[in-house]
């Protein structure tokens, strides 16, 4: 059985050891909002593998690149924003693909109602029963063919 990377299973001492930090540093990062672990009923912190990877990135940015905590916060916020935008773009691309497939002539199907009205339905979709009088009729009281009084 594989544990998902988002599962908050590590207590603070284990997370600190895996990240190569002191537990007090993890508490400080939690207070600053850099890493927000899940909480147990008793308010104990539980870290996930993703949280530990984030802690390791914070350590790298701080120690190797010399970036202060305010800069690190901005970098992490931008990365989170980018991740959300990319997920949204994937969703929208999927919607566009589905809509394009629906617009292809081979995927369009037409049905005729009992009154002679014709309407488009999706392939595999059953025509809905149209109630009498639901057809659109254009009323032109003074249009062509209408007698003027």
């Amino acid at each position: 059985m594989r544990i998902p990377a988002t599962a908050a299973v590590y207590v603070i001492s284990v997370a600190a050891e895996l990240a190569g930090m002191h537990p007090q540093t993890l508490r400080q990062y939690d207070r600053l909002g850099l890493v927000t672990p899940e909480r147990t009923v008793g308010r104990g912190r539980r870290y996930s593998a993703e949280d530990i990877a984030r802690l390791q990135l914070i350590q790298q940015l701080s120690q190797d690149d010399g970036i202060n905590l305010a800069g690190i916060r901005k970098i992490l916020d931008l990365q989170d924003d980018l991740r959300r935008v990319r997920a949204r773009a994937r969703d929208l691309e999927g919607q566009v693909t589905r809509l394009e497939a629906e617009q292809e002539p081979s995927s369009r199907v037409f049905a005729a109602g009992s009154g002679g009205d014709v309407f488009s339905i999706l392939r595999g979709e059953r025509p809905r029963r149209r109630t009498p009088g639901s057809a659109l009729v254009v009323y032109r009281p003074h249009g062509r063919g209408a007698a003027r009084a």
Side-chain angles (χ1 to χ4, degrees):
M1 183 175 156
R2 188 165 171 88
I3 299 172
T6 57
V9 294
Y10 302 104
V11 294
I12 191 166
S13 59
V14 173
E17 185 176 332
L18 290 171
M21 299 177 176
H22 193 276
Q24 190 60 37
T25 305
L26 274 64
R27 291 184 190 95
Q28 180 67 22
Y29 289 169
D30 185 11
R31 280 191 291 277
L32 293 172
L34 294 173
V35 175
T36 307
E38 290 187 24
R39 298 289 185 144
T40 63
V41 176
R43 303 290 300 146
R45 293 172 175 89
R46 292 291 185 269
Y47 293 85
S48 67
E50 285 182 354
D51 293 333
I52 293 169
R54 189 172 174 111
L55 288 166
Q56 291 169 336
L57 175 61
I58 292 169
Q59 186 175 41
Q60 176 200 348
L61 291 171
S62 175
Q63 292 178 357
D64 298 345
D65 299 332
I67 301 172
N68 64 21
L69 293 179
I72 292 171
R73 178 193 311 270
K74 189 66 173 169
I75 290 169
L76 294 175
D77 288 345
L78 289 171
Q79 284 182 338
D80 292 342
D81 289 346
L82 180 60
R83 195 173 298 114
R84 280 190 295 274
V85 167
R86 285 181 174 162
R88 179 71 175 138
R90 279 191 302 275
D91 291 344
L92 291 172
E93 286 172 351
Q95 288 179 18
V96 167
T97 302
R98 282 190 299 278
L99 289 172
E100 286 173 343
E102 291 172 3
Q103 296 302 317
E104 290 182 20
S106 63
S107 68
R108 294 182 70 188
V109 177
F110 295 93
S114 59
D117 53 328
V118 177
F119 50 93
S120 176
I121 61 174
L122 297 176
R123 183 175 298 284
E125 179 183 343
R126 295 190 66 117
R128 291 187 308 267
R129 186 172 215 62
R130 308 275 184 191
T131 58
S134 66
L136 177 64
V137 177
V138 179
Y139 174 67
R140 294 188 183 127
H142 301 296
R144 288 189 287 200
R148 292 186 181 224

